[in-house]
Amino acid sequence: MSNTATTTATCILPPPPDFGSISLTGKAVDFHRNLLVGIREPHLMLPIIDYLEEHQLYDESSIKALRIQVVKATRMVDLLGDLTGEDMTKARAVLEKELKEAEEAADSAMKLIKNQEVWEKIQANAEGSSFGALVLDYGFPDDVLDRVYHLGRLNYQAGRYEDAYSAMQVYRTLLTYLGPKQHHKYMLSSLWGSLACAILTGQFDASVDLIGKLFELYQYESSGPSRPVGEGA
């Protein structure tokens, strides 16, 4: 693969605005320029690197160098320790502390997904309901959306994609209570994060649905005032 080759990529959708991105550099990763053009989200790079390694398309040292550089842009501390041999005890302790605090902060909302009866009721009555009523009915703090989103984002950064997907699912369902002409600051990122989690956990039907919701969101935002998109699961 030539380093001088050029590739024009047409982005169907913009890159995710909040779930992290990196720019790769160095001789060891020159070969990625065509294959990974337009893909700057580190977690989504990892399956591509696995493919390169599985099919032995490049030498082992180059693959390892690329994987280390990508993993360093995440908070997958155990994987980074395995790759580099570094002692990740302190980094792991910091991450576990943050995860515990985030889980406790979002517990009032996250426990809903474990109660099937309540969860189905919330999903069925989301349209047209007020966020204030939701807070009163279930005792949520006013900043519950921030708390749930933070938990999902932190789990995603740590490579806990199923937990991140669950948090984003709760976030997007609660988001519908904000009303038809409002949207939360993390609405777009929650859709991108949900899509990434669905891809990384092999939920391809859900991925197609989420792509549709993203198209719908951009369509509304390009034509006038935006409204919540991505209701429910």
Side-chain angles (χ1 to χ4, degrees):
M1 187 177 295
S2 172
N3 289 339
T4 60
T6 58
T7 302
T8 301
T10 302
C11 295
I12 298 176
L13 295 171
D18 194 50
F19 270 71
S21 63
I22 64 172
S23 297
L24 299 175
T25 58
K27 293 182 179 179
V29 293
D30 283 345
F31 64 80
H32 87 284
R33 290 179 179 173
N34 289 324
L35 183 63
L36 301 184
V37 65
I39 301 177
R40 300 179 62 242
E41 207 295 309
H43 295 267
L44 292 175
M45 286 182 177
L46 292 174
I48 298 175
I49 298 172
D50 291 340
Y51 178 89
L52 295 176
E53 182 177 44
E54 179 183 352
H55 292 272
Q56 300 180 342
L57 298 180
Y58 299 95
D59 64 274
E60 184 177 344
S61 61
S62 293
I63 293 290
K64 183 176 181 180
L66 175 58
R67 183 178 279 116
I68 289 173
Q69 191 167 359
V70 169
V71 172
K72 281 184 176 180
T74 74
R75 298 194 66 181
M76 301 170 73
V77 294
D78 289 328
L79 179 56
L80 183 59
D82 291 341
L83 290 170
T84 63
E86 297 178 26
D87 183 1
M88 306 302 294
T89 302
K90 291 183 179 179
R92 186 184 303 108
V94 170
L95 176 61
E96 289 176 351
K97 181 176 182 292
E98 290 183 28
L99 282 168
K100 182 179 180 180
E101 291 174 349
E103 288 167 356
E104 291 174 351
D107 181 65
S108 62
M110 291 305 300
K111 66 184 179 183
L112 291 178
I113 202 170
K114 301 175 183 178
N115 187 323
Q116 185 174 357
E117 182 179 353
V118 174
W119 182 243
E120 290 177 352
K121 179 181 177 182
I122 287 178
Q123 289 185 307
N125 293 283
E127 288 289 349
S129 300
S130 70
F131 189 67
L134 181 69
V135 171
L136 291 175
D137 288 345
Y138 297 100
F140 295 150
D142 292 338
D143 62 346
V144 64
L145 288 172
D146 289 340
R147 297 184 185 202
V148 174
Y149 176 82
H150 175 65
L151 175 62
R153 186 172 187 269
L154 190 57
N155 273 313
Y156 182 83
Q157 292 172 329
R160 298 170 50 168
Y161 305 123
E162 291 184 358
D163 291 336
Y165 186 83
S166 294
M168 291 297 100
Q169 186 181 26
V170 171
Y171 173 90
R172 290 186 292 110
T173 298
L174 299 185
L175 181 60
T176 62
Y177 283 82
L178 284 172
K181 293 185 178 181
Q182 302 180 50
H183 68 271
H184 193 252
K185 56 189 174 182
Y186 299 131
M187 178 175 62
L188 179 58
S189 287
S190 74
L191 281 171
W192 275 112
S194 296
L195 175 58
C197 290
I199 292 171
L200 291 165
T201 56
Q203 300 181 62
F204 300 118
D205 288 342
S207 299
V208 172
D209 180 60
L210 287 161
I211 289 172
K213 294 183 190 304
L214 280 163
F215 273 116
E216 183 184 352
L217 174 60
Y218 286 114
Q219 181 181 9
Y220 272 90
E221 290 201 335
S222 64
S223 61
S226 60
R227 66 173 180 80
V229 177
E231 293 88 345

mmCIF file of all heavy atoms in Angstrom, residues 132-171:
data_model
loop_
_atom_site.group_PDB
_atom_site.id
_atom_site.type_symbol
_atom_site.label_atom_id
_atom_site.label_comp_id
_atom_site.label_asym_id
_atom_site.label_seq_id
_atom_site.Cartn_x
_atom_site.Cartn_y
_atom_site.Cartn_z
ATOM 1 N N GLY A 132 -40.722 17.207 34.110
ATOM 2 C CA GLY A 132 -41.028 17.504 35.504
ATOM 3 C C GLY A 132 -41.864 16.417 36.148
ATOM 4 O O GLY A 132 -41.641 16.033 37.297
ATOM 5 N N ALA A 133 -42.838 15.890 35.402
ATOM 6 C CA ALA A 133 -43.676 14.813 35.928
ATOM 7 C C ALA A 133 -42.859 13.554 36.164
ATOM 8 O O ALA A 133 -43.064 12.830 37.141
ATOM 9 C CB ALA A 133 -44.817 14.526 34.956
ATOM 10 N N LEU A 134 -41.927 13.301 35.266
ATOM 11 C CA LEU A 134 -41.065 12.129 35.414
ATOM 12 C C LEU A 134 -40.231 12.230 36.691
ATOM 13 O O LEU A 134 -40.098 11.265 37.444
ATOM 14 C CB LEU A 134 -40.141 12.005 34.202
ATOM 15 C CG LEU A 134 -39.190 10.808 34.185
ATOM 16 C CD1 LEU A 134 -39.961 9.517 33.988
ATOM 17 C CD2 LEU A 134 -38.148 10.970 33.090
ATOM 18 N N VAL A 135 -39.682 13.418 36.934
ATOM 19 C CA VAL A 135 -38.875 13.633 38.135
ATOM 20 C C VAL A 135 -39.712 13.403 39.389
ATOM 21 O O VAL A 135 -39.275 12.763 40.351
ATOM 22 C CB VAL A 135 -38.272 15.054 38.135
ATOM 23 C CG1 VAL A 135 -37.619 15.364 39.472
ATOM 24 C CG2 VAL A 135 -37.260 15.199 37.007
ATOM 25 N N LEU A 136 -40.946 13.915 39.380
ATOM 26 C CA LEU A 136 -41.818 13.762 40.540
ATOM 27 C C LEU A 136 -42.235 12.309 40.740
ATOM 28 O O LEU A 136 -42.264 11.800 41.860
ATOM 29 C CB LEU A 136 -43.055 14.646 40.377
ATOM 30 C CG LEU A 136 -42.821 16.162 40.457
ATOM 31 C CD1 LEU A 136 -44.113 16.903 40.146
ATOM 32 C CD2 LEU A 136 -42.309 16.550 41.841
ATOM 33 N N ASP A 137 -42.561 11.625 39.642
ATOM 34 C CA ASP A 137 -43.050 10.250 39.739
ATOM 35 C C ASP A 137 -41.986 9.285 40.243
ATOM 36 O O ASP A 137 -42.279 8.371 41.013
ATOM 37 C CB ASP A 137 -43.553 9.768 38.374
ATOM 38 C CG ASP A 137 -44.870 10.431 37.983
ATOM 39 O OD1 ASP A 137 -45.515 11.018 38.877
ATOM 40 O OD2 ASP A 137 -45.232 10.364 36.802
ATOM 41 N N TYR A 138 -40.744 9.488 39.817
ATOM 42 C CA TYR A 138 -39.703 8.503 40.121
ATOM 43 C C TYR A 138 -38.578 9.046 40.996
ATOM 44 O O TYR A 138 -37.612 8.342 41.269
ATOM 45 C CB TYR A 138 -39.133 7.937 38.817
ATOM 46 C CG TYR A 138 -40.184 7.197 38.024
ATOM 47 C CD1 TYR A 138 -40.819 7.808 36.954
ATOM 48 C CD2 TYR A 138 -40.567 5.906 38.373
ATOM 49 C CE1 TYR A 138 -41.811 7.144 36.237
ATOM 50 C CE2 TYR A 138 -41.552 5.241 37.665
ATOM 51 C CZ TYR A 138 -42.167 5.862 36.600
ATOM 52 O OH TYR A 138 -43.147 5.202 35.904
ATOM 53 N N GLY A 139 -38.702 10.283 41.435
ATOM 54 C CA GLY A 139 -37.731 10.821 42.370
ATOM 55 C C GLY A 139 -36.355 11.057 41.792
ATOM 56 O O GLY A 139 -35.351 10.965 42.498
ATOM 57 N N PHE A 140 -36.275 11.363 40.495
ATOM 58 C CA PHE A 140 -34.982 11.607 39.867
ATOM 59 C C PHE A 140 -34.451 12.987 40.244
ATOM 60 O O PHE A 140 -35.220 13.936 40.398
ATOM 61 C CB PHE A 140 -35.090 11.549 38.341
ATOM 62 C CG PHE A 140 -35.456 10.199 37.804
ATOM 63 C CD1 PHE A 140 -36.172 10.089 36.632
ATOM 64 C CD2 PHE A 140 -35.077 9.043 38.458
ATOM 65 C CE1 PHE A 140 -36.510 8.851 36.117
ATOM 66 C CE2 PHE A 140 -35.410 7.802 37.958
ATOM 67 C CZ PHE A 140 -36.131 7.705 36.783
ATOM 68 N N PRO A 141 -33.127 13.126 40.343
ATOM 69 C CA PRO A 141 -32.553 14.470 40.488
ATOM 70 C C PRO A 141 -32.726 15.241 39.184
ATOM 71 O O PRO A 141 -32.883 14.650 38.111
ATOM 72 C CB PRO A 141 -31.072 14.191 40.777
ATOM 73 C CG PRO A 141 -30.822 12.833 40.199
ATOM 74 C CD PRO A 141 -32.104 12.068 40.370
ATOM 75 N N ASP A 142 -32.711 16.560 39.269
ATOM 76 C CA ASP A 142 -32.925 17.383 38.076
ATOM 77 C C ASP A 142 -31.873 17.137 36.999
ATOM 78 O O ASP A 142 -32.141 17.309 35.812
ATOM 79 C CB ASP A 142 -32.929 18.870 38.452
ATOM 80 C CG ASP A 142 -34.139 19.240 39.299
ATOM 81 O OD1 ASP A 142 -35.138 18.495 39.247
ATOM 82 O OD2 ASP A 142 -34.074 20.258 40.009
ATOM 83 N N ASP A 143 -30.665 16.760 37.410
ATOM 84 C CA ASP A 143 -29.584 16.551 36.441
ATOM 85 C C ASP A 143 -29.403 15.076 36.089
ATOM 86 O O ASP A 143 -28.306 14.637 35.740
ATOM 87 C CB ASP A 143 -28.270 17.120 36.974
ATOM 88 C CG ASP A 143 -27.814 16.433 38.261
ATOM 89 O OD1 ASP A 143 -28.624 15.712 38.884
ATOM 90 O OD2 ASP A 143 -26.636 16.619 38.642
ATOM 91 N N VAL A 144 -30.494 14.307 36.148
ATOM 92 C CA VAL A 144 -30.396 12.868 35.899
ATOM 93 C C VAL A 144 -29.856 12.565 34.502
ATOM 94 O O VAL A 144 -29.105 11.603 34.311
ATOM 95 C CB VAL A 144 -31.765 12.184 36.115
ATOM 96 C CG1 VAL A 144 -32.795 12.679 35.121
ATOM 97 C CG2 VAL A 144 -31.628 10.666 36.049
ATOM 98 N N LEU A 145 -30.200 13.392 33.510
ATOM 99 C CA LEU A 145 -29.703 13.147 32.154
ATOM 100 C C LEU A 145 -28.182 13.268 32.103
ATOM 101 O O LEU A 145 -27.504 12.447 31.470
ATOM 102 C CB LEU A 145 -30.347 14.122 31.171
ATOM 103 C CG LEU A 145 -31.821 13.866 30.850
ATOM 104 C CD1 LEU A 145 -32.388 15.015 30.023
ATOM 105 C CD2 LEU A 145 -31.998 12.550 30.113
ATOM 106 N N ASP A 146 -27.642 14.288 32.749
ATOM 107 C CA ASP A 146 -26.189 14.444 32.801
ATOM 108 C C ASP A 146 -25.539 13.235 33.464
ATOM 109 O O ASP A 146 -24.502 12.737 33.009
ATOM 110 C CB ASP A 146 -25.809 15.704 33.582
ATOM 111 C CG ASP A 146 -26.143 16.981 32.829
ATOM 112 O OD1 ASP A 146 -26.306 16.918 31.598
ATOM 113 O OD2 ASP A 146 -26.241 18.033 33.477
ATOM 114 N N ARG A 147 -26.136 12.768 34.536
ATOM 115 C CA ARG A 147 -25.558 11.656 35.289
ATOM 116 C C ARG A 147 -25.544 10.361 34.474
ATOM 117 O O ARG A 147 -24.547 9.632 34.465
ATOM 118 C CB ARG A 147 -26.344 11.444 36.584
ATOM 119 C CG ARG A 147 -26.300 12.626 37.544
ATOM 120 C CD ARG A 147 -27.014 12.293 38.833
ATOM 121 N NE ARG A 147 -27.096 13.435 39.740
ATOM 122 C CZ ARG A 147 -27.284 13.329 41.046
ATOM 123 N NH1 ARG A 147 -27.418 12.140 41.603
ATOM 124 N NH2 ARG A 147 -27.353 14.407 41.804
ATOM 125 N N VAL A 148 -26.656 10.081 33.806
ATOM 126 C CA VAL A 148 -26.741 8.850 33.021
ATOM 127 C C VAL A 148 -25.804 8.917 31.821
ATOM 128 O O VAL A 148 -25.118 7.944 31.491
ATOM 129 C CB VAL A 148 -28.191 8.594 32.569
ATOM 130 C CG1 VAL A 148 -28.259 7.396 31.626
ATOM 131 C CG2 VAL A 148 -29.083 8.350 33.783
ATOM 132 N N TYR A 149 -25.758 10.069 31.174
ATOM 133 C CA TYR A 149 -24.859 10.210 30.028
ATOM 134 C C TYR A 149 -23.401 10.028 30.456
ATOM 135 O O TYR A 149 -22.625 9.341 29.780
ATOM 136 C CB TYR A 149 -25.031 11.573 29.365
ATOM 137 C CG TYR A 149 -24.054 11.774 28.235
ATOM 138 C CD1 TYR A 149 -24.311 11.258 26.973
ATOM 139 C CD2 TYR A 149 -22.848 12.435 28.449
ATOM 140 C CE1 TYR A 149 -23.396 11.405 25.943
ATOM 141 C CE2 TYR A 149 -21.927 12.581 27.426
ATOM 142 C CZ TYR A 149 -22.206 12.071 26.178
ATOM 143 O OH TYR A 149 -21.285 12.209 25.169
ATOM 144 N N HIS A 150 -23.032 10.639 31.568
ATOM 145 C CA HIS A 150 -21.652 10.521 32.056
ATOM 146 C C HIS A 150 -21.300 9.060 32.328
ATOM 147 O O HIS A 150 -20.198 8.605 31.993
ATOM 148 C CB HIS A 150 -21.472 11.351 33.321
ATOM 149 C CG HIS A 150 -20.121 11.207 33.957
ATOM 150 N ND1 HIS A 150 -18.960 11.632 33.343
ATOM 151 C CD2 HIS A 150 -19.744 10.654 35.147
ATOM 152 C CE1 HIS A 150 -17.922 11.359 34.118
ATOM 153 N NE2 HIS A 150 -18.368 10.767 35.214
ATOM 154 N N LEU A 151 -22.231 8.315 32.915
ATOM 155 C CA LEU A 151 -21.992 6.897 33.176
ATOM 156 C C LEU A 151 -21.783 6.137 31.869
ATOM 157 O O LEU A 151 -20.864 5.319 31.752
ATOM 158 C CB LEU A 151 -23.169 6.300 33.948
ATOM 159 C CG LEU A 151 -23.119 4.784 34.183
ATOM 160 C CD1 LEU A 151 -21.911 4.406 35.031
ATOM 161 C CD2 LEU A 151 -24.414 4.302 34.846
ATOM 162 N N GLY A 152 -22.626 6.411 30.885
ATOM 163 C CA GLY A 152 -22.482 5.734 29.600
ATOM 164 C C GLY A 152 -21.170 6.065 28.922
ATOM 165 O O GLY A 152 -20.486 5.179 28.395
ATOM 166 N N ARG A 153 -20.798 7.317 28.946
ATOM 167 C CA ARG A 153 -19.556 7.743 28.296
ATOM 168 C C ARG A 153 -18.338 7.124 28.976
ATOM 169 O O ARG A 153 -17.399 6.676 28.310
ATOM 170 C CB ARG A 153 -19.457 9.265 28.318
ATOM 171 C CG ARG A 153 -18.271 9.820 27.537
ATOM 172 C CD ARG A 153 -18.368 11.343 27.441
ATOM 173 N NE ARG A 153 -17.346 11.873 26.566
ATOM 174 C CZ ARG A 153 -16.137 12.270 26.975
ATOM 175 N NH1 ARG A 153 -15.823 12.178 28.255
ATOM 176 N NH2 ARG A 153 -15.255 12.748 26.120
ATOM 177 N N LEU A 154 -18.353 7.085 30.303
ATOM 178 C CA LEU A 154 -17.232 6.519 31.042
ATOM 179 C C LEU A 154 -17.098 5.019 30.770
ATOM 180 O O LEU A 154 -15.989 4.503 30.580
ATOM 181 C CB LEU A 154 -17.425 6.780 32.535
ATOM 182 C CG LEU A 154 -16.245 6.464 33.462
ATOM 183 C CD1 LEU A 154 -14.998 7.236 33.036
ATOM 184 C CD2 LEU A 154 -16.606 6.804 34.905
ATOM 185 N N ASN A 155 -18.228 4.318 30.745
ATOM 186 C CA ASN A 155 -18.192 2.890 30.420
ATOM 187 C C ASN A 155 -17.667 2.666 29.009
ATOM 188 O O ASN A 155 -16.909 1.722 28.760
ATOM 189 C CB ASN A 155 -19.591 2.282 30.560
ATOM 190 C CG ASN A 155 -19.887 1.814 31.969
ATOM 191 O OD1 ASN A 155 -19.085 1.136 32.591
ATOM 192 N ND2 ASN A 155 -21.050 2.176 32.485
ATOM 193 N N TYR A 156 -18.067 3.527 28.093
ATOM 194 C CA TYR A 156 -17.590 3.402 26.718
ATOM 195 C C TYR A 156 -16.080 3.583 26.649
ATOM 196 O O TYR A 156 -15.370 2.796 26.014
ATOM 197 C CB TYR A 156 -18.285 4.435 25.838
ATOM 198 C CG TYR A 156 -17.885 4.345 24.383
ATOM 199 C CD1 TYR A 156 -18.489 3.420 23.536
ATOM 200 C CD2 TYR A 156 -16.898 5.172 23.857
ATOM 201 C CE1 TYR A 156 -18.122 3.320 22.208
ATOM 202 C CE2 TYR A 156 -16.523 5.078 22.532
ATOM 203 C CZ TYR A 156 -17.139 4.156 21.706
ATOM 204 O OH TYR A 156 -16.760 4.055 20.394
ATOM 205 N N GLN A 157 -15.581 4.612 27.295
ATOM 206 C CA GLN A 157 -14.143 4.865 27.284
ATOM 207 C C GLN A 157 -13.365 3.691 27.865
ATOM 208 O O GLN A 157 -12.237 3.409 27.441
ATOM 209 C CB GLN A 157 -13.837 6.142 28.071
ATOM 210 C CG GLN A 157 -14.359 7.408 27.414
ATOM 211 C CD GLN A 157 -14.200 8.620 28.306
ATOM 212 O OE1 GLN A 157 -14.241 8.521 29.534
ATOM 213 N NE2 GLN A 157 -14.024 9.781 27.699
ATOM 214 N N ALA A 158 -13.972 3.007 28.839
ATOM 215 C CA ALA A 158 -13.311 1.878 29.485
ATOM 216 C C ALA A 158 -13.467 0.578 28.702
ATOM 217 O O ALA A 158 -12.936 -0.457 29.115
ATOM 218 C CB ALA A 158 -13.861 1.694 30.898
ATOM 219 N N GLY A 159 -14.194 0.622 27.588
ATOM 220 C CA GLY A 159 -14.387 -0.579 26.785
ATOM 221 C C GLY A 159 -15.497 -1.479 27.282
ATOM 222 O O GLY A 159 -15.611 -2.626 26.838
ATOM 223 N N ARG A 160 -16.336 -0.967 28.154
ATOM 224 C CA ARG A 160 -17.478 -1.735 28.673
ATOM 225 C C ARG A 160 -18.703 -1.379 27.833
ATOM 226 O O ARG A 160 -19.597 -0.653 28.255
ATOM 227 C CB ARG A 160 -17.683 -1.413 30.154
ATOM 228 C CG ARG A 160 -16.495 -1.802 31.009
ATOM 229 C CD ARG A 160 -16.569 -1.285 32.433
ATOM 230 N NE ARG A 160 -17.830 -1.569 33.096
ATOM 231 C CZ ARG A 160 -18.044 -1.431 34.395
ATOM 232 N NH1 ARG A 160 -17.060 -1.019 35.182
ATOM 233 N NH2 ARG A 160 -19.220 -1.695 34.925
ATOM 234 N N TYR A 161 -18.740 -1.911 26.625
ATOM 235 C CA TYR A 161 -19.697 -1.446 25.625
ATOM 236 C C TYR A 161 -21.140 -1.825 25.945
ATOM 237 O O TYR A 161 -22.060 -1.054 25.663
ATOM 238 C CB TYR A 161 -19.302 -1.978 24.244
ATOM 239 C CG TYR A 161 -17.889 -1.622 23.856
ATOM 240 C CD1 TYR A 161 -16.966 -2.609 23.521
ATOM 241 C CD2 TYR A 161 -17.458 -0.296 23.848
ATOM 242 C CE1 TYR A 161 -15.669 -2.295 23.175
ATOM 243 C CE2 TYR A 161 -16.156 0.032 23.508
ATOM 244 C CZ TYR A 161 -15.263 -0.973 23.173
ATOM 245 O OH TYR A 161 -13.974 -0.657 22.843
ATOM 246 N N GLU A 162 -21.364 -2.989 26.520
ATOM 247 C CA GLU A 162 -22.734 -3.383 26.853
ATOM 248 C C GLU A 162 -23.300 -2.484 27.946
ATOM 249 O O GLU A 162 -24.463 -2.063 27.880
ATOM 250 C CB GLU A 162 -22.773 -4.851 27.277
ATOM 251 C CG GLU A 162 -22.485 -5.820 26.130
ATOM 252 C CD GLU A 162 -22.635 -7.266 26.554
ATOM 253 O OE1 GLU A 162 -22.925 -7.518 27.747
ATOM 254 O OE2 GLU A 162 -22.452 -8.149 25.697
ATOM 255 N N ASP A 163 -22.484 -2.186 28.958
ATOM 256 C CA ASP A 163 -22.933 -1.282 30.021
ATOM 257 C C ASP A 163 -23.156 0.124 29.470
ATOM 258 O O ASP A 163 -24.106 0.818 29.867
ATOM 259 C CB ASP A 163 -21.904 -1.241 31.150
ATOM 260 C CG ASP A 163 -21.827 -2.548 31.922
ATOM 261 O OD1 ASP A 163 -22.826 -3.295 31.919
ATOM 262 O OD2 ASP A 163 -20.775 -2.829 32.522
ATOM 263 N N ALA A 164 -22.285 0.549 28.571
ATOM 264 C CA ALA A 164 -22.439 1.870 27.961
ATOM 265 C C ALA A 164 -23.721 1.936 27.141
ATOM 266 O O ALA A 164 -24.454 2.929 27.189
ATOM 267 C CB ALA A 164 -21.232 2.183 27.083
ATOM 268 N N TYR A 165 -24.010 0.866 26.406
ATOM 269 C CA TYR A 165 -25.222 0.833 25.583
ATOM 270 C C TYR A 165 -26.470 0.921 26.460
ATOM 271 O O TYR A 165 -27.424 1.632 26.134
ATOM 272 C CB TYR A 165 -25.256 -0.443 24.749
ATOM 273 C CG TYR A 165 -26.405 -0.492 23.770
ATOM 274 C CD1 TYR A 165 -26.306 0.135 22.528
ATOM 275 C CD2 TYR A 165 -27.591 -1.154 24.087
ATOM 276 C CE1 TYR A 165 -27.361 0.104 21.629
ATOM 277 C CE2 TYR A 165 -28.649 -1.183 23.191
ATOM 278 C CZ TYR A 165 -28.529 -0.558 21.963
ATOM 279 O OH TYR A 165 -29.580 -0.584 21.080
ATOM 280 N N SER A 166 -26.466 0.213 27.586
ATOM 281 C CA SER A 166 -27.610 0.258 28.498
ATOM 282 C C SER A 166 -27.830 1.670 29.024
ATOM 283 O O SER A 166 -28.969 2.157 29.094
ATOM 284 C CB SER A 166 -27.394 -0.708 29.669
ATOM 285 O OG SER A 166 -27.393 -2.049 29.231
ATOM 286 N N ALA A 167 -26.742 2.346 29.395
ATOM 287 C CA ALA A 167 -26.868 3.711 29.905
ATOM 288 C C ALA A 167 -27.390 4.652 28.827
ATOM 289 O O ALA A 167 -28.258 5.495 29.087
ATOM 290 C CB ALA A 167 -25.522 4.200 30.434
ATOM 291 N N MET A 168 -26.889 4.510 27.603
ATOM 292 C CA MET A 168 -27.362 5.363 26.518
ATOM 293 C C MET A 168 -28.820 5.066 26.176
ATOM 294 O O MET A 168 -29.581 5.954 25.787
ATOM 295 C CB MET A 168 -26.488 5.171 25.280
ATOM 296 C CG MET A 168 -25.073 5.711 25.404
ATOM 297 S SD MET A 168 -24.987 7.511 25.647
ATOM 298 C CE MET A 168 -24.725 7.592 27.432
ATOM 299 N N GLN A 169 -29.223 3.815 26.335
ATOM 300 C CA GLN A 169 -30.616 3.436 26.107
ATOM 301 C C GLN A 169 -31.529 4.141 27.112
ATOM 302 O O GLN A 169 -32.577 4.686 26.755
ATOM 303 C CB GLN A 169 -30.760 1.919 26.224
ATOM 304 C CG GLN A 169 -32.132 1.385 25.864
ATOM 305 C CD GLN A 169 -32.210 -0.122 26.021
ATOM 306 O OE1 GLN A 169 -31.463 -0.712 26.809
ATOM 307 N NE2 GLN A 169 -33.100 -0.755 25.286
ATOM 308 N N VAL A 170 -31.118 4.138 28.381
ATOM 309 C CA VAL A 170 -31.885 4.841 29.414
ATOM 310 C C VAL A 170 -31.887 6.337 29.132
ATOM 311 O O VAL A 170 -32.928 7.005 29.200
ATOM 312 C CB VAL A 170 -31.298 4.552 30.810
ATOM 313 C CG1 VAL A 170 -31.947 5.441 31.867
ATOM 314 C CG2 VAL A 170 -31.485 3.082 31.171
ATOM 315 N N TYR A 171 -30.728 6.870 28.791
ATOM 316 C CA TYR A 171 -30.612 8.307 28.511
ATOM 317 C C TYR A 171 -31.563 8.724 27.395
ATOM 318 O O TYR A 171 -32.302 9.701 27.517
ATOM 319 C CB TYR A 171 -29.168 8.639 28.128
ATOM 320 C CG TYR A 171 -28.968 10.058 27.657
ATOM 321 C CD1 TYR A 171 -28.647 11.074 28.553
ATOM 322 C CD2 TYR A 171 -29.106 10.387 26.307
ATOM 323 C CE1 TYR A 171 -28.475 12.381 28.119
ATOM 324 C CE2 TYR A 171 -28.938 11.689 25.871
ATOM 325 C CZ TYR A 171 -28.619 12.679 26.777
ATOM 326 O OH TYR A 171 -28.462 13.967 26.341
#
